[in-house]
Amino acid sequence: MNGFLEELERLEVAGKDAVTLYNEISALAMREAEGKISRRPERTAYYLSVEFLIGRSFYNNLMELGVLGETARILANKGVDINVFEEIEDAALGNGGLGRLAACFLDSAAALGLPLYGYGIRYRYGLFKQEIKDGFQVELPDDWQKYGDPWSIRRDGEKREIVFADYTATAVPYDIPIIGKRVNTLRLFQAEGSAEAEKISEYLYPADDTEEGKLLRLRQEYFFSAAAMGELVERHVKRYGRTFENFPKYNTVQLNDTHPVIAIAELIRLLTKEYNVTFPKAVQIVKQTFNYTNHTILPEALECWREELVRKILPDIADIFLKIAVMQENELKTIGYSAEEIDEMAIYRNEVFSMANLAVYIATAVNGVAALHTDILKRSLFRTAYRKFPQKFQNKTNGITKRRWLMLANPELSALIDGAIGTGWREARADHGKLLPRVKELWEAFYEVKEEKKKQLFAYIAEKEGVVIPEHFLVFAQVKRLHEYKRQLMTAFAILEIYYLLKENKLPDFRPSVFVFGAKSAPAYLRAKGIIKFINEIADLVNGDEAVNGLLRVVFVQNYNVSYAEKIVAGSDVSLQVSTAGLEASGTGNMKFMMNGAVTCGTMDGANVEIVEHAGEENNYIFGARVEDVEALKESGYDPNALLEENPLHRRAVSALVDGTFSDGGTGYFKELYDSLTVGASWHKPDHYFVIYDLKDYVDTLLRINRDSADKASFAIKQLTNTALSSYFSSDRTILEYARDIWEI
Ligand code: 26V
């Protein structure tokens, strides 16, 4: 790396703006990284995903190259503050946890020296940029390449034609080096050719409420899956000739959720059509090649394709889907499965192809992303398949990369850990559990770090949002995709109840607290948009009330993304993870907060269960209905209206949606939310997500946390204990498990 630093020393900065400097410095670093791109070993793992939420590369890559500190120093000597590059980029080629997990996994594999290569789409526009106007979400295009894209290398020599029935698109690879002990690559394909072809890689998740939109999405999934499979087969033939029994020996492919499952059919198509492999043999090969990770049990998020749609643009693929479906059905009949059971596992039913059922049938390994989630897959979503193929099912609890989420996001806390146990914990594989016995003596130092991170966060929020948060406020944060099952609405009601109690002087010892929200709603998800507006209405009420705003504030930050997350997870005291039990597959934000020393206030859902297993219930705050309770309530018939009847405080908070307390600007959003809770909406029963059921316990728990925080020492000890016991949630651990149990790399 001396080469880089020498060139940086020589770099002329006078008269150059931040963008120019950013591109020049990035190019210097890229030269180093490119030179280090590792050779692929014989056996390689591939990660197919429609999302890779990489965030900002600049600081992360300089850190991975081991020159971040030196770069800051050299630039400072030249009068340039390294933080000026913060505004420039944040590649948001993903939506939430699924995409961020993919990015963390690539980071960990590179750090561990494991050959894991990502394949995805190089969207022209990433997830929309969000502004909040009058409390409403406004979506703007995310032109992430506006200032250039110094971190990818276009590979014109490796283009590939992707054929649809109506037109052909060229897949042009762009390689992004993933720097670690090995330098792997993330290869994103850009669609080129005709104007129609270019549309394929224009947007992440194009609206799919029309036939046109659905087709486009299917094209996207096929486009990158086919480009990846074409490449794998070509590389294999070059190395080993036209022999494919050994294909699974050298290639293992992880399907990140149901979106890339179409790759299975494409590999069969390539083998049978272009290399004369027989269909049964091709099926044998794909069975040994693919593995599937499930990331949600919500039915609306499990990819299904109408046969007619597939046939229209990919007739060969439709035929292959059908052939696999027939093969599966015959197999199941032979071993005596009932019609009902076969129906449940069917790849083809009612003229629709189920990508989840196809994946489960073909994959060698099927995994959930947290222990509870995997149990639910076995017990409910895939129960019949589990009975037939129990050996397929595995758990791989998610993780996060400590390099971005601790070392980069929180150098102050990292330095504290260095001081306590030395710097060895920074290595991949290493853990920082030795911190545990030192927690009691370090609480004050930790408290200072947390205060510093809060100060930084508050300054940033003041600048970006114009909302002032006074020093020392206790920070509660709920940052994640906006979805009803995540229950941001429940937090909104809880805040309202606390506000009413404060107004009536019923909370004499309440410690000043701020609630920080960050979330994007899918553009067409109107109830989620209503929740954003509702939170902002509450924020205006609370922040504008002189009688209360010394004790309570609320802020909804705009354009929550990876870079914002780095600041929020480091500067928060309490991590709100309050999904309806059974519905959050894992959560990974919960792990980021934990690692940075926040207590979790959460339900027994997803990885929260394992967080409290590791860090102790006494150091966290668990509340609400358990999975069994939710199931029992569904059985016995749950009536939220009775609870509203009984509890005047709940009634007041929920009625605020419709009694004129707030305005939704005439959109009808609030009435719709109110109805969803009291009469039901979208074919769901009233309060489908048990918001009102868990509200009382939630408010009580928030108040208990507020009280506990008065004892600074014991609260800081709880927080730092969470950091000390967070190593299990490092994605280095997760990736080692995938490598050992699934990929065998
Ligand atoms: C997508 C959609 C799109 C259509 C509308 C409804 C809906 C609901 C959920 C989803 C999520 C798709 C998959 C996903 O992002 N899962 C997340 O994966 C994370 C990484 O494993 C995990 O931590 C989160 O709990 C899980 O929600």
Side-chain angles (χ1 to χ4, degrees), residues 97-98 101 295 298 300-301 369 398 481 483 485 584-588:
L98 172 111
L101 184 75
H295 295 269
L298 294 185
E300 60 268 37
V369 290
N398 284 166
R481 282 185 293 122
H483 199 288
Y485 85 80
E584 189 68 272
S586 159
T588 45

Side-chain angles (χ1 to χ4, degrees), residues 51 95-99 101 205 217 256-257 259 293-296 298 300-301 369 398 481 483 485-486 522 525 583-591 606:
E51 299 187 22
N95 198 334
L98 172 111
L101 184 75
Y205 295 132
R217 203 170 143 141
N256 197 31
D257 225 48
H259 323 101
T293 306
N294 173 282
H295 295 269
T296 179
L298 294 185
E300 60 268 37
V369 290
N398 284 166
R481 282 185 293 122
H483 199 288
Y485 85 80
K486 294 178 184 277
Y525 189 177
L583 295 183
E584 189 68 272
S586 159
T588 45
N590 47 4
M591 302 169 185

Side-chain angles (χ1 to χ4, degrees), residues 348-370:
Y348 181 65
R349 218 184 114 210
N350 300 333
E351 287 160 35
V352 171
F353 297 118
S354 155
M355 294 300 107
N357 283 349
L358 171 61
V360 170
Y361 174 62
I362 293 292
T364 305
V366 174
N367 75 283
V369 290

Side-chain angles (χ1 to χ4, degrees), residues 64-241:
E64 302 276 6
L65 289 167
V67 294
L68 182 56
E70 273 298 281
T71 302
R73 195 189 55 75
I74 293 170
L75 287 175
N77 283 342
K78 294 174 188 278
V80 177
D81 177 355
I82 193 167
N83 295 316
V84 297
F85 307 119
E86 286 218 356
E87 293 311 311
I88 294 179
E89 36 118 32
D90 195 309
L93 308 184
N95 198 334
L98 172 111
R100 184 52 233 176
L101 184 75
C104 283
F105 278 5
L106 293 186
D107 182 85
S108 281
L112 290 160
L114 294 169
L116 176 69
Y117 289 78
Y119 283 94
I121 301 174
R122 185 171 191 264
Y123 302 104
R124 170 75 181 79
Y125 299 100
L127 185 64
F128 65 84
K129 276 215 156 108
Q130 179 197 56
E131 281 182 10
I132 302 293
K133 287 256 156 71
D134 293 330
F136 291 105
Q137 166 172 301
V138 176
E139 298 120 29
L140 305 168
D142 168 44
D143 188 4
W144 66 279
Q145 300 165 38
K146 186 165 59 186
Y147 301 117
D149 173 21
W151 301 109
S152 348
I153 311 155
R154 182 180 165 106
R155 305 280 190 204
D156 271 302
E158 296 178 53
K159 291 175 185 168
R160 193 168 295 281
E161 294 300 299
I162 306 300
V163 182
F164 298 93
D166 44 0
Y167 58 84
T168 296
T170 308
V172 183
Y174 281 74
D175 285 344
I176 301 175
I178 308 294
I179 306 165
K181 186 167 161 197
R182 276 181 66 85
V183 179
N184 292 323
T185 55
L186 164 58
R187 173 161 281 199
L188 300 179
F189 295 103
Q190 174 164 299
E192 296 185 5
S194 62
E196 274 173 311
E198 282 175 16
K199 279 216 178 83
I200 295 175
S201 60
E202 193 164 312
Y203 288 103
L204 169 74
Y205 295 132
D208 66 352
D209 45 349
T210 62
E211 175 95 356
E212 198 59 20
K214 285 193 180 68
L215 273 176
L216 183 55
R217 203 170 143 141
L218 176 59
R219 283 187 209 279
Q220 290 189 325
E221 295 182 2
Y222 180 71
F223 169 75
F224 90 97
S225 302
M229 290 306 108
E231 208 179 286
L232 259 56
V233 168
E234 191 179 294
R235 190 172 299 121
H236 182 82
V237 170
K238 258 192 208 142
R239 263 201 187 177
Y240 306 104

